[in-house]
């Protein structure tokens, strides 16, 4: 088990990507603090911290569930005080907590000027601001120990127009935070980066499958069946934790699929995912027969992709 004795924290791990990341880390023997507001299963939403903890332990990891509202600074501070008291160090922070799922669902079809202020507050407060507070807590320990990794779970919504204006602002801000924090931390041998999963088969996405597949995000038809499982991002992070040249990735934004290609891992169901930069994947959206003739290794450089969609002149 490659992460035995590693102390990790995954925020927002009751369900979705956070749960999947915790399971992948547990499979490698890590000690994983998992946070969220839902400690016990309820009728309000699927999953809970205690259920995730049981699954992590069954995989061979050590789960430590901590009920925490990441919208309250004092609770985040107490969380890091606990980790420091229990272990004196932290090797990995995954900033994944996000309050905006319900808000986004209610506001996607509403112009920004007609949305309630919660459309902004839910996404930015627990989805950007709380990640800054958590990164401060982790960085204080990591700088002292001269080692560590902070992963901010972002998305292509930072670059393309997905969902709502606050969603795009939040993800773009998170990527910029990763860049600037990563540059400051590099001299201390600490890495900070943004990770973009693709479409992920979370409980919320699967439940909304029918309505999502009737729409187009950024002009692309959505097919939930081709989405990543919730554990794929976790496998990407396990790869990062075992990367001997990890510091070279600090301050960067990286996709899970690109890491799958680099590190040679596949999804838990045996599928291989292609990066959004992959020409083959792009062509397949409209011309599957032609895509079959294109090698998967041909990718559009990041700079070209940004230039094609960016709003700066």
């Amino acid at each position: 088990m490659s992460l035995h004795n590693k102390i990790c924290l995954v925020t927002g791990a009751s369900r979705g990507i956070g749960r999947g990341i915790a399971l992948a880390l547990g499979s490698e023997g890590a000690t994983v603090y998992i946070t969220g507001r839902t400690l016990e299963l309820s009728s309000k939403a699927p999953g809970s911290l205690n259920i995730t903890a049981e699954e992590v332990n069954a995989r061979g990891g050590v789960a430590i569930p901590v009920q925490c509202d990441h919208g309250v600074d004092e609770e985040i501070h107490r969380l890091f005080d606990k980790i420091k008291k229990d272990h004196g160090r932290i090797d990995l922070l995954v900033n994944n907590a996000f309050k905006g799922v319900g808000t986004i669902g209610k506001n996607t079809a509403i112009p920004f000027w007609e949305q309630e202020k919660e459309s902004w507050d839910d996404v930015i407060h627990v989805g950007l601001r709380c990640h800054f507070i958590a990164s401060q807590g982790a960085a204080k320990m990591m700088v002292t120990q001269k080692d560590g990794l902070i992963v901010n779970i972002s998305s292509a919504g930072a670059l393309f127009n997905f969902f709502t204006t606050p969603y795009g602002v939040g993800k773009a801000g998170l990527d910029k935070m990763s860049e600037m924090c990563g540059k400051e931390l590099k001299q201390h041998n600490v890495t900070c980066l943004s990770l973009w999963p693709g479409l992920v088969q979370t409980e919320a996405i699967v439940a909304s499958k029918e309505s999502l597949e009737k729409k187009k995000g950024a002009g692309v038809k959505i097919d939930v069946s081709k989405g990543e499982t919730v554990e794929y991002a976790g496998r990407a992070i396990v790869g990062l934790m075992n990367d001997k040249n990890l510091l070279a990735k600090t301050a960067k934004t990286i996709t899970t699929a690109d890491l799958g290609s680099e590190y040679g891992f596949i999804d838990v169901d045996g599928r291989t995912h292609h990066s959004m930069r992959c020409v083959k994947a792009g062509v397949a959206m409209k011309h599957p027969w032609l895509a079959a003739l294109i090698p998967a290794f041909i990718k559009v450089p990041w700079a070209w992709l940004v230039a094609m969609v960016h709003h700066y002149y």
Side-chain angles (χ1 to χ4, degrees), residues 279-285 287-296:
V279 175
K280 182 185 186 75
V283 173
M285 293 177 184
H287 306 290
W289 64 270
L290 182 57
L293 305 175
I294 302 174

Side-chain angles (χ1 to χ4, degrees), residues 7-26 30-36 49 52 56 64-66 68 70 79-80 83 90 92-97 131 151 153 234 237:
I7 309 302
C8 309
L9 166 60
V10 182
T11 71
S14 298
R15 60 191 68 86
I17 296 175
R19 169 180 163 270
I21 292 170
L23 294 181
L25 296 172
T31 294
V32 191
Y33 284 81
I34 52 175
T35 69
L49 287 178
T52 300
V56 169
I64 304 175
V66 180
C68 177
H70 284 268
L79 169 65
F80 282 94
I83 294 172
I90 182 170
L92 168 68
L93 164 64
V94 180
N95 279 317
N96 173 70
H131 296 339
V151 177
I153 302 300
I237 293 172

Side-chain angles (χ1 to χ4, degrees), residues 16 41 46 61 63 86 121 129 137 140 150 177 228 233-234 236 243 251 253 259 262 270-271 283 286 290 297 312:
L41 184 65
D86 290 351
D121 293 342
R129 185 183 188 279
K140 288 173 183 177
I150 298 173
M177 189 182 92
E228 300 170 6
D243 189 338
T253 294
L259 290 179
E262 179 180 350
R271 289 178 298 141
V283 173
K286 290 191 175 182
L290 182 57
F297 65 80
Y312 291 123

Side-chain angles (χ1 to χ4, degrees), residues 24 59 229-232 235 265-271 273:
R59 298 276 188 106
T229 71
V230 294
E231 291 190 50
Y232 189 67
R235 290 191 169 189
F265 64 85
I266 58 176
D267 211 334
V268 294
D269 56 9
R271 289 178 298 141
H273 299 289

Side-chain angles (χ1 to χ4, degrees), residues 28-177:
E28 293 298 323
T31 294
V32 191
Y33 284 81
I34 52 175
T35 69
R37 292 176 295 168
T38 309
L39 189 63
E40 301 285 351
L41 184 65
S42 72
S43 58
K44 294 181 179 180
S48 71
L49 287 178
N50 284 343
I51 291 175
T52 300
E54 290 174 4
E55 293 176 307
V56 169
N57 292 335
R59 298 276 188 106
V62 178
I64 304 175
V66 180
Q67 192 169 29
C68 177
D69 183 345
H70 284 268
V72 181
D73 292 355
E74 291 74 15
E75 294 193 22
I76 300 175
H77 295 151
R78 285 197 294 270
L79 169 65
F80 282 94
D81 286 344
K82 175 176 174 57
I83 294 172
K84 186 172 183 179
K85 180 181 178 181
D86 290 351
H87 297 281
R89 65 177 290 112
I90 182 170
D91 299 292
L92 168 68
L93 164 64
V94 180
N95 279 317
N96 173 70
F98 188 67
K99 188 181 178 182
V101 174
T103 301
I104 290 170
K106 290 186 291 186
N107 288 283
T108 298
I110 300 175
F112 79 88
W113 60 89
E114 294 182 2
Q115 295 173 16
E116 299 292 333
K117 67 180 186 300
E118 286 77 17
S119 176
W120 177 274
D121 293 342
D122 287 354
V123 171
I124 302 301
H125 195 74
V126 182
L128 179 57
R129 185 183 188 279
C130 72
H131 296 339
F132 180 75
I133 302 301
S135 295
Q136 286 182 313
K140 288 173 183 177
M141 284 189 273
M142 291 177 176
V143 166
T144 299
Q145 67 202 32
K146 297 292 182 182
D147 185 45
L149 169 62
I150 298 173
V151 177
N152 293 314
I153 302 300
S154 184
S155 88
L159 193 60
F160 300 96
N161 295 331
F162 292 155
F163 307 127
T164 65
T165 294
Y167 179 81
V169 172
K171 295 306 183 183
L174 190 56
D175 288 352
K176 188 62 180 179
M177 189 182 92

